[in-house]
Amino acid sequence: MIEVRHLKSLVAIADTGKLATAAERVHLSQSALSHQIRALEEHHGQALFERTRQGLRFTPAGDRLLALARTVLADIGAAERDLQRLKGGAGGELRIVLECHTCFDWLMPVMHEFRQRWPEVEVDLVAGFHADPLALLKEGRADLVIGSRPKAQRPWSVEPLFRFEILAVVANEHKLRHKRHLTAQDFEGETLITYPVPEQRIDLIREVLKPAGVEPARRTAELTVAIVQLVASRRGIAALPSWGLQSYLEHDYVKAVPIGPKGLWSELHAICPKALATQPYMQDMALIMRQQCAKLPGIEWLA
């Protein structure tokens, strides 16, 4: 028989593309998840997946069960939200702070979906650039921070989202555009264009440049499009998440180059007070973010 746990496993595999990561998400060992899938395949007499170099690929039988999983789990979620409304627990306020401002590119569809599911919850973005976003949680001026994992996790509930590559962005005519990857020394004598945030919150500076003793001149801009425009105009170079560059690269406005032989990677987490994490609408927000971010290019899931 097909059970809800099977459906959740299928969605986790589809979202992550990796059995090990999917197993962690549904709180199973990899062997237990493999056994669960194998039992489904034996029951129906059909393989659900094919292994490829890119990861697991669903067979037609797997696609059919995945479609069922998404439909049934969505209906269950809707029913649970209705039960919360009947109990009078669907209202609230959700003030969101972004540590990574490129997140605006994917947060809008997340917020749109959330408002449709939870119209009683007032959603708002806390405007501006904040040196310490977690301080806003402590002071009660925000409810959810989307950013890097906090060093001290104890006061918070931390929901891992995904890891992503940060790419160097250079003008189409820049001398560095053909390099396989950039090193810290490649940034010497350049102007680094960043968001107006403290240096310790910029991965390139903290992880690559500072350890190498490289301190390029710095210029700031508040919008991603403004940063890209400055780069295209040869006013400097930047370092931005891969997903935020997709449209600019497709239109050939700028070039992107990896940083370091293994790339420069960062992580995003959803952080909120532990008391708020138990609210159904907050749990649903984390689910919506995972679903929407599954469409982003160049990300790897965190369990």
Side-chain angles (χ1 to χ4, degrees):
M1 293 181 61
I2 298 175
E3 302 176 16
V4 171
R5 62 191 178 97
H6 298 143
L7 302 181
K8 290 181 178 179
S9 295
L10 291 171
V11 171
I13 292 171
D15 286 349
T16 64
K18 297 179 180 179
L19 204 62
T21 310
E24 292 182 8
R25 185 188 290 191
V26 295
H27 309 294
L28 292 174
S29 66
Q30 185 173 341
S31 61
L33 180 57
S34 297
H35 178 76
Q36 185 185 103
I37 296 303
R38 190 161 53 250
L40 274 178
E41 292 177 326
E42 291 175 355
H43 178 77
H44 294 284
Q46 300 183 70
L48 301 181
F49 310 100
E50 296 173 351
R51 294 187 180 274
T52 69
R53 291 183 178 180
Q54 290 73 38
L56 294 175
R57 183 173 65 188
F58 280 74
T59 63
D63 280 332
R64 180 63 187 89
L65 287 185
L66 177 61
L68 171 69
R70 294 199 187 281
T71 299
V72 170
L73 293 178
D75 286 345
I76 291 175
E80 289 176 340
R81 291 191 295 275
D82 288 341
L83 291 175
Q84 285 296 345
R85 292 184 180 96
L86 291 172
K87 194 173 68 173
E93 183 179 25
L94 186 55
R95 296 161 296 174
I96 304 172
V97 181
L98 300 179
E99 185 177 289
C100 172
H101 283 73
T102 322
C103 295
F104 279 119
D105 295 339
W106 57 261
L107 188 62
M108 292 306 293
V110 168
M111 294 177 66
H112 176 71
E113 176 69 19
F114 182 84
R115 289 190 183 100
Q116 290 185 318
R117 294 190 188 188
W118 298 93
E120 302 90 344
V121 178
E122 184 177 347
V123 186
D124 195 12
L125 286 174
V126 180
F129 288 77
H130 304 279
D132 184 6
L134 293 179
L136 300 179
L137 293 183
K138 295 177 183 176
E139 296 164 5
R141 294 193 288 141
D143 306 296
L144 175 65
V145 169
I146 300 174
S148 55
R149 176 182 287 274
K151 293 180 180 179
Q153 189 172 333
R154 181 171 297 179
W156 317 115
S157 171
V158 180
E159 177 73 19
L161 295 177
F162 57 86
R163 68 192 295 261
F164 59 92
E165 187 172 9
I166 299 171
L167 299 171
V169 190
V170 301
N172 288 332
E173 309 83 8
H174 200 283
K175 63 183 180 181
L176 299 173
R177 68 188 184 279
H178 295 309
K179 294 201 68 172
R180 295 185 64 180
H181 65 265
L182 302 190
T183 66
Q185 286 66 37
D186 289 319
F187 290 85
E188 288 184 332
E190 300 284 350
T191 296
L192 182 62
I193 304 171
T194 75
Y195 296 109
V197 297
E199 287 188 354
Q200 64 267 24
R201 283 180 49 200
I202 300 174
D203 297 84
L204 173 65
I205 295 177
R206 186 182 65 251
E207 304 294 334
V208 178
L209 302 184
K210 282 280 189 184
V214 175
E215 297 184 13
R218 188 177 166 205
R219 178 174 178 173
T220 63
E222 293 194 358
L223 301 176
T224 302
V225 65
I227 292 177
V228 174
Q229 179 58 47
L230 288 170
V231 169
S233 302
R234 305 186 71 175
R235 297 295 189 271
I237 61 180
L240 294 170
S242 55
W243 81 75
L245 292 171
Q246 195 72 10
S247 62
Y248 303 112
L249 297 177
E250 289 173 354
H251 288 88
D252 201 30
Y253 294 147
V254 291
K255 302 294 184 187
V257 186
I259 301 170
K262 297 182 179 179
L264 176 61
W265 292 78
S266 188
E267 296 181 355
L268 276 185
H269 297 75
I271 308 149
C272 70
K274 287 187 175 180
L276 190 58
T278 60
Q279 291 291 332
Y281 65 80
M282 183 63 82
Q283 295 172 353
D284 205 32
M285 171 59 90
L287 177 62
I288 295 169
M289 284 192 287
R290 281 187 174 274
Q291 292 171 340
Q292 289 292 337
C293 293
K295 307 170 186 176
L296 296 175
I299 69 166
E300 293 183 1
W301 288 104
L302 296 170

